[in-house]
Amino acid sequence: MTDLHRLSIREISEGLAAAKFSSRELTEHYLKRIAKIDPQVGSYVTVTNDVALAQADAADALRQAGQATALTGVPVAHKDIFCTQGIKTTAGSKMLDNFISPYDATVVAQGKNAGLVTLGKVNMDEFAMGSTSESSFYGATKNPWALDHVPGGSSGGSAAVVAADLAPFATGTDTGGSIRQPASFCGLTGLKPTYGRVSRYGIIAYASSLDQAGPMARSAEDCAYLMNVMAGHDAKDSTSVDKAVEDYVANLNATTLKGLRIGIPKQYFNVAGLDAAVKARVEESLKKLEELGAVLVEIDLNMTESYVPTYYLIAPAEASSNLSRYDGVRYGYRAENPQDILDLYKRSRSEGFGAEVQRRILIGTYALSAGYYDAYYVKAQKVRRLIQQDFLKAFEQVDVIAAPTAPTTAYKIGASLDPVEMYLGDIYTIAVNLAGLPAISAPVGFDQDHLPVGLQLIGNYWSESQLLSVVHQYQQATDWHTQRAAIAEENA
Ligand code: GLN
């Protein structure tokens, strides 16, 4: 079969079960495509050829022995922020360019237990700080829809591999939109789960109170398969919640759109930088949802203006604390010929971290310093609570909240956005992380340059099953998620 990369996860699962193809054939097919096409896209930091083929053979053997799960032998790509035992784990940074993880992140271990085959590790903004994937030490990943555009970030590699059919699905992490925004820029579906639903153990920390991992794939159905593997309590992560995991695949039709109340926040549609085409596509998708039975309800989210300043205090503050561990001593980059210990720290950190990471460490350290802690960090935490309450009040009126995922479509590579402009582009995604809520982005059409537009649906706590189901219903009635970037059409 030459079109194995066109199959959905369910089709792959059924094909493997019916022995239409083996995991070895499927894995080789993807590895060939990666070798041929990825030089143009730049999405993989590490391709794990040998590991993948060994895992594929093991998966085929398990299947022969009648011990396969639904996903045994299905390939996956992991964002290079998940620790992978024996495999380089870089977080897109020179600081970790030489880091071979001695253990697996829980998400990776769960994937292995389910029989997933690791194709490799994919590119990202350095330490997940950014919205374009350009800040990676390994260079910019390209958007498969238009190679002179960014795929979004920070999980830009995860989005690009799926959009270019270089992996059937991928893991991502979302601290302030890094699953949803690249999904939106690359015409994919991406789910950021409730904080605590997926283990953070073995994920290189950015901002611990905001970080959460989730699936990125073509459809809600494909995401549901990966969510079934990723979700669950983990004793190794003290913020992971001990709550029964739903079967996200079985529940795909559990929510009906009939009578579903979708909140439309007035403030979100009056944001200054909201692109006209994005607004139009989002509004059309809402009309479609209305046709399918949903009820649109105008709501207020009065804290909208506080999102960006609050997030850009809390995230850098936590980052400055988390990144203090990279000192050139225990692991990671070490400056050559240090004069003394202080010189070692200083030069290892200034040579090992890129500009955006250094900017955030400076902002965060400033906000946490003795004289400013109350004025900035404590204040931001109080505003964070108000933002959460604003959402909870809205959920008394509605079931889900709709918004654009991002105010624009993908930026041109090197558009040298100034940092503040880039931060403003996170307006629709970051409040969800501040509140710890789940949210999903799904493709709903294109702008005038044929760049994908995403609709975001925000749910109440633990409603990821409902969000997947709502998007699944929408995707049963539309075909935006089945459209392919030109580069994805190329044969292996
Ligand atoms: N763009 C946001 C930031 O730079 C979000 C990144 C993320 O979710 N990891 O912080």
Side-chain angles (χ1 to χ4, degrees):
M1 279 176 92
T2 54
D3 57 352
L4 290 173
H5 57 277
R6 304 286 307 225
L7 302 178
S8 71
I9 300 297
R10 183 168 47 78
E11 288 166 340
I12 291 175
S13 177
E14 288 169 1
L16 287 167
K20 284 196 190 144
F21 46 84
S22 65
S23 174
R24 173 119 198 160
E25 283 169 276
L26 180 65
T27 303
E28 279 177 347
H29 179 82
Y30 270 108
L31 291 173
K32 267 193 220 145
R33 279 185 66 82
I34 293 167
K36 182 177 170 208
I37 298 171
D38 199 45
Q40 293 172 69
V41 183
S43 51
Y44 278 89
V45 175
T46 305
V47 181
T48 50
N49 281 284
D50 297 346
V51 171
L53 292 174
Q55 288 175 340
D57 287 342
D60 286 332
L62 273 179
R63 200 169 281 281
Q64 294 266 306
Q67 290 166 16
T69 74
L71 295 181
T72 300
V74 179
V76 68
H78 288 301
K79 184 176 182 179
D80 210 10
I81 199 167
F82 292 90
C83 283
T84 39
Q85 188 174 13
I87 297 169
K88 196 162 99 153
T89 299
T90 70
S93 182
K94 178 178 178 184
M95 185 59 89
L96 291 175
D97 182 46
N98 61 5
F99 177 61
I100 309 271
S101 172
Y103 70 104
D104 278 328
T106 295
V107 162
V108 172
Q110 287 173 176
K112 280 187 182 171
N113 289 340
L116 292 181
V117 169
T118 305
L119 293 171
K121 306 291 294 290
V122 293
N123 205 16
M124 53 182 285
D125 277 302
E126 186 178 7
F127 284 102
M129 298 172 191
S131 309
T132 67
S133 298
E134 290 170 292
S135 73
S136 169
F137 175 59
Y138 303 96
T141 296
K142 321 287 189 304
N143 187 318
W145 291 89
L147 296 174
D148 55 347
H149 284 65
V150 303
S154 64
S155 311
S158 308
V161 286
V162 179
D165 283 338
L166 302 177
F169 53 17
T171 55
T173 61
D174 191 313
T175 302
S178 280
I179 287 175
R180 292 160 284 157
Q181 184 257 26
S184 169
F185 280 14
C186 290
L188 304 175
T189 307
L191 173 73
K192 182 254 169 219
T194 306
Y195 184 79
R197 179 69 295 179
V198 174
S199 169
R200 289 185 300 109
Y201 180 74
I203 298 175
I204 307 232
Y206 164 13
S208 308
S209 77
L210 305 164
D211 297 343
Q212 186 63 194
M216 301 174 70
R218 295 208 166 274
S219 64
E221 183 183 81
D222 289 0
C223 281
Y225 276 100
L226 191 49
M227 220 10 223
N228 273 359
V229 175
M230 296 178 80
H233 176 242
D234 180 8
K236 294 186 191 134
D237 170 6
S238 62
T239 59
S240 147
V241 176
D242 193 358
K243 181 174 165 58
V245 176
E246 293 163 87
D247 183 335
Y248 301 99
V249 176
N251 287 350
L252 279 168
N253 289 311
T255 302
T256 166
L257 292 180
K258 296 253 166 337
L260 182 88
R261 296 164 304 166
I262 301 182
I264 315 289
K266 267 192 267 181
Q267 291 79 357
Y268 282 25
F269 289 83
N270 291 324
V271 165
L274 177 56
D275 180 84
V278 171
K279 188 173 183 210
R281 292 305 92 75
V282 167
E283 284 172 352
E284 286 157 20
S285 70
L286 292 171
K287 196 156 273 150
K288 183 78 198 175
L289 284 162
E290 202 176 21
E291 267 170 50
L292 295 169
V295 182
L296 306 184
V297 184
E298 198 174 72
I299 58 164
D300 276 305
L301 285 175
N302 289 311
M303 299 298 294
T304 305
E305 281 182 10
S306 306
Y307 294 170
V308 174
T310 306
Y311 174 87
Y312 277 99
L313 272 166
I314 291 174
E318 294 186 14
S320 84
S321 164
N322 273 325
L323 271 57
S324 64
R325 72 190 65 170
Y326 304 103
D327 55 7
V329 176
R330 285 161 293 187
Y331 53 85
Y333 178 79
R334 172 181 295 194
E336 278 175 31
N337 304 319
Q339 311 214 306
D340 52 32
I341 185 75
L342 213 60
D343 186 47
L344 172 75
Y345 290 156
K346 271 195 195 161
R347 280 203 295 115
S348 297
R349 288 169 66 78
S350 32
E351 291 165 16
F353 289 136
E356 184 60 28
V357 172
Q358 293 193 27
R359 182 178 297 122
R360 306 239 181 154
I361 291 174
L362 288 174
I363 297 171
T365 306
Y366 181 85
L368 291 177
S369 60
Y372 299 107
Y373 183 79
D374 288 329
Y376 293 121
Y377 187 70
V378 172
K379 179 97 170 268
Q381 290 287 25
K382 289 179 179 167
V383 179
R384 178 181 191 172
R385 174 56 61 94
L386 295 176
I387 291 169
Q388 180 206 29
Q389 285 172 351
D390 213 21
F391 278 113
L392 292 182
K393 216 169 70 204
F395 285 123
E396 288 170 9
Q397 265 179 280
V398 296
D399 302 304
V400 296
I401 295 170
T405 304
T408 65
T409 53
Y411 319 116
K412 264 222 153 104
I413 290 180
S416 66
L417 294 168
D418 77 57
V420 175
E421 230 175 274
M422 186 174 83
Y423 302 164
L424 288 171
D426 294 335
I427 176 123
Y428 295 121
T429 47
I430 51 190
V432 163
N433 302 72
L434 289 168
L437 294 166
I440 194 165
S441 179
V444 294
F446 299 91
D447 72 0
Q448 58 285 356
D449 299 321
H450 204 62
L451 290 166
V453 173
L455 164 74
Q456 179 179 210
L457 294 174
I458 305 166
N460 208 335
Y461 296 107
W462 312 109
S463 68
E464 28 287 290
S465 193
Q466 179 192 34
L467 292 175
L468 288 165
S469 181
V470 170
V471 171
H472 183 64
Q473 313 297 314
Y474 175 82
Q475 291 179 337
Q476 297 303 101
T478 56
D479 66 356
W480 302 116
H481 64 291
T482 66
Q483 308 211 14
R484 243 78 177 177
I487 198 166
E489 304 288 358
E490 292 183 27
N491 283 317

